[in-house]
């Protein structure tokens, strides 16, 4: 499990909740002025995930205003690039840094530099989102990269690297329990590469990324594409390469460096989904061949052979074994 802490205002006395929230945020993130028209009946629910030197913090809270002032920056400057992903259920957020002011809504992103004055607030509606704080020095971008064109601006979380970054961040906060200490370094590298890719793409300066980061971003994009399209029986290395405007030879070369093949990734993703569906008691009446077809497998006989080779038993036997485990308390 990723390192995690939690803060809930309902664990405090009503009169202490807003002050407790202010102190918590100042200690855990960075000193800031926090005000709210709901200070007398304030509520907040905040989790903190630490992945090496990077923090992710999903939060739900009453409408608030956050400001980093020059005085507070002089008091403490953690040197972070802050990102917020706004989630459904949040009110529209107003963001300003420097001369830039933006309105940001659900499925949008924005970046702020903690070394510069900034403000974020909503007009009376709750805030629902995920904050990400990354040490600026860790991003795989050249040191002379100017982010002025991006800071404080509304970025889409639905397209390009913004979508990949959104998917990765929401997956991490929703399924943090699936990862252990051995996964942290890899997760950290992926998060940094995706954040850098989103920034470089917005600046239209993809060439500013080091070659290894560009290659890493392309591999991540291809993996995400496979994860979204594995159910298509027509998905092949050729169609994957065409979707990313590279040759099949280039594609194979990319994944040879990763120690695998695209065909293996497609098959593994399909088998992973099939295993989950076969073990799902809600799908016990769904025929095996229907599950196979939903997972992108063509002929049922082919699915059975591939599944048996991976699991050491037929799909039907696997289903029965998993369902017995769920119903037999002695197992």
């Amino acid at each position: 499990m990723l390192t995690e802490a939690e803060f809930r205002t309902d664990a405090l006395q009503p009169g202490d909740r807003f002050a407790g929230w202010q102190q918590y945020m100042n200690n855990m993130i960075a000193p800031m002025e926090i005000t709210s028209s709901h200070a007398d009946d304030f509520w907040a629910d905040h989790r903190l995930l630490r992945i090496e030197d990077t923090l992710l913090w999903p939060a739900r809270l009453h409408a608030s205003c956050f400001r980093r002032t020059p005085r507070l920056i002089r008091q403490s400057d953690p040197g972070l690039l802050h990102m917020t992903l706004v989630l459904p259920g949040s009110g529209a957020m107003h963001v300003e840094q420097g001369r830039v002011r933006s309105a940001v809504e659900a499925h949008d992103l924005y970046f702020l530099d903690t070394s510069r004055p900034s403000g974020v607030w909503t007009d009376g509606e709750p805030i629902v989102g995920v904050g990400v704080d990354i040490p600026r020095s860790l991003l795989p971008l050249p040191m002379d990269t100017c982010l002025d064109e991006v800071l404080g601006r509304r970025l889409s979380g639905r397209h390009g690297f913004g979508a990949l970054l959104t998917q990765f961040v929401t997956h991490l906060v929703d399924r943090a329990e699936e990862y252990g200490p051995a996964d942290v370094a890899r997760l950290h590298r992926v998060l940094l590469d995706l954040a850098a890719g989103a920034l470089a793409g917005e600046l239209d300066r993809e060439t500013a990324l080091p070659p290894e980061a560009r290659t890493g971003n392309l591999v991540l994009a291809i993996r995400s594409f496979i994860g979204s399209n594995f159910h298509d029986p027509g998905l092949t290395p050729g169609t994957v390469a065409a979707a990313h405007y590279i040759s099949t030879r280039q594609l194979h070369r990319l994944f040879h460096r990763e120690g695998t093949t695209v065909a293996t990734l497609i098959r593994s993703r399909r088998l992973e989904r099939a295993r989950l569906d076969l073990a799902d008691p809600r799908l016990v009446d769904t025929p095996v061949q229907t599950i196979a077809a939903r997972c992108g497998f063509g002929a049922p006989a082919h699915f059975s052979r591939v599944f048996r080779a991976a699991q050491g038993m037929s799909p039907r036997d696997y289903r029965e074994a998993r369902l017995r485990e769920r119903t037999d308390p002695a197992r």
Side-chain angles (χ1 to χ4, degrees), residues 32-316:
M32 62 190 83
E33 291 181 356
I34 308 176
T35 57
S36 175
S37 59
H38 297 274
D40 293 337
D41 61 342
F42 191 78
W43 60 263
D45 186 350
H46 181 283
R47 290 164 54 213
L48 187 72
L49 308 178
R50 184 179 297 276
I51 305 178
E52 294 194 348
D53 295 328
T54 298
L55 301 178
L56 287 83
W57 42 282
R60 298 172 56 87
L61 60 143
H62 256 140
S64 303
C65 176
F66 300 83
R67 290 197 177 276
R68 284 276 290 164
T69 65
R71 179 182 63 82
L72 291 175
I73 292 168
R74 289 192 298 271
Q75 176 182 327
S76 175
D77 179 14
L80 301 173
L81 193 67
H82 169 82
M83 184 199 87
T84 288
L85 164 62
V86 184
L87 296 176
S90 180
M93 299 176 67
H94 302 278
V95 182
E96 65 178 13
Q97 186 149 68
R99 297 182 178 180
V100 177
R101 177 178 288 191
S102 304
V104 186
E105 299 181 342
H107 307 291
D108 292 338
L109 311 168
Y110 64 84
F111 285 88
L112 297 174
D113 185 344
T114 63
S115 301
R116 308 184 192 189
S118 63
V120 178
W121 68 95
T122 62
D123 293 326
E125 296 295 323
I127 296 173
V128 184
V130 182
V132 181
D133 287 309
I134 302 171
R136 173 66 178 82
S137 60
L138 295 183
L139 282 172
L141 288 165
M143 291 304 294
D144 61 352
T145 298
C146 180
L147 297 177
D148 288 351
E149 297 177 26
V150 175
L151 295 174
R153 299 190 184 280
R154 171 191 170 275
L155 309 181
S156 173
R158 296 180 182 270
H159 308 289
F161 278 103
L164 290 176
L165 182 55
T166 294
Q167 292 165 13
F168 184 72
V169 168
T170 53
H171 173 84
L172 280 184
V173 299
D174 289 343
R175 305 177 74 167
E177 72 281 355
E178 296 182 6
Y179 299 98
D183 302 311
V184 169
R186 292 189 294 272
L187 293 172
H188 191 238
R189 184 185 66 207
V190 171
L191 179 59
L192 293 180
D193 284 345
L194 285 176
L199 289 165
E202 188 64 26
L203 290 166
D204 197 23
R205 294 178 60 179
E206 180 72 16
T207 55
L209 289 173
E212 62 274 14
R214 293 201 301 272
T215 298
N217 283 341
L218 179 56
V219 169
L220 289 170
I222 292 169
R223 287 181 178 273
S224 178
F225 180 81
I226 292 171
S228 299
N229 295 276
F230 69 89
H231 56 275
D232 180 359
L235 187 69
T236 65
T239 59
V240 171
H244 293 84
Y245 306 101
I246 60 176
S247 69
T248 305
R249 177 175 293 183
Q250 287 175 289
L251 181 70
H252 289 319
R253 189 160 55 242
L254 277 175
F255 282 87
H256 177 73
R257 297 179 187 139
E258 297 281 306
T260 187
T261 68
V262 173
T264 297
L265 289 174
I266 295 172
R267 183 172 63 251
S268 297
R269 186 66 185 84
R270 288 171 174 167
L271 285 170
E272 176 189 1
R273 182 72 258 174
R275 285 194 297 270
L276 290 173
D277 287 353
L278 288 169
D280 190 338
R282 295 170 298 179
L283 301 177
V284 67
D285 294 325
T286 303
V288 170
Q289 60 266 32
T290 300
I291 288 176
R294 288 177 182 173
C295 295
F297 289 101
H302 171 69
F303 170 62
S304 293
R305 286 195 301 272
V306 172
F307 193 93
R308 185 184 292 275
Q311 296 299 136
M313 65 179 74
S314 71
R316 192 176 306 278

